[in-house]
Amino acid sequence: AQTVTQSQPEMSVQEAETVTLSCTYDTSESDYYLFWYKQPPSRQMILVIRQEAYKQQNATENRFSVNFQKAAKSFSLKISDSQLGDAAMYFCAYRAQGGSEKLVFGKGTKLTVNP
Amino acid sequence: NAGVTQTPKFQVLKTGQSMTLQCAQDMNHNSMYWYRQDPGMGLRLIYYSASEGTTDKGEVPNGYNVSRLNKREFSLRLESAAPSQTSVYFCASRRESTYNEQFFGPGTRLTVL
């Protein structure tokens, strides 16, 4: 079964600085998708960024980018120019191709942004 | 568009009581999902529905039943609530695209005493 590991339960960053959240996963599949979701105190799950496994190019969405290392099964999230509104729980998620299309989530990293 | 909506937002039950969590989406998605989120855990899949009239078990289905009433609505029922079912419940629907992204509702915080 696929598993997703987020080894940093909590992280903190100064406003305007850069922070990287780690995620590793275990799978025997060659074709799959990876996601980062943000969960602010409102509890809403918000999709931040997504990556296809067969695309070598790292995904970027404004201040958010990923470092996808397929061989190492690593999918880290970099947040540049951190803002107070970035404070939230961040969840890494894996989805295999086909089947139920279910998401397998890591346990999350709580990000604090200090002014 | 409202996206994915869930009712209620909060609920307190006594052990043994029953209740139904409601979920609706207005994005014309075929697939819908129910997840639960426990402290220190990521979301775990309870049940999913690939299309109207079909449902399948996920990772943690025990103690729950679901109904895909129509394309828009997917409900989750607790027949006899237990304290172990205290959790936050999320409904999601899936857009059919390259990434098949899932979009989540705001969640229901359920406490079983």
Side-chain angles (χ1 to χ4, degrees), chain A residues 51-58 68 70, chain B residues 98-99:
Chain A
Q51 174 82 40
E52 299 173 74
Y54 59 86
K55 279 195 174 177
Q56 297 296 320
Q57 187 173 3
N58 290 323
F68 173 50
K70 189 173 184 179
Chain B
T98 300
Y99 293 94

Side-chain angles (χ1 to χ4, degrees), chain A residues 33-35 37 39 42-47 50-52 54-55 91 95 97 99-108, chain B residues 9-10 33 35 37 40-45 48 59 88 90 94-95 98-109:
Chain A
Y33 298 82
L34 297 162
F35 305 85
Y37 280 86
Q39 186 180 42
S42 67
R43 236 178 27 218
Q44 182 73 49
M45 294 289 286
I46 302 166
L47 179 62
R50 58 201 185 181
Q51 174 82 40
E52 299 173 74
Y54 59 86
K55 279 195 174 177
F91 291 95
R95 178 178 72 74
Q97 177 73 1
S100 69
E101 303 275 348
K102 74 172 185 178
L103 293 170
V104 177
F105 286 86
K107 293 184 178 182
Chain B
K9 286 187 167 55
F10 301 93
Y33 303 79
Y35 293 87
Q37 183 182 27
M41 304 280 288
L43 279 68
R44 293 181 293 169
L45 183 65
Y48 68 98
E59 184 183 352
V88 180
F90 288 94
R94 176 168 67 83
R95 177 169 68 185
T98 300
Y99 293 94
N100 286 343
E101 305 97 322
Q102 291 186 22
F103 297 91
F104 287 81
T108 295
R109 181 177 292 279

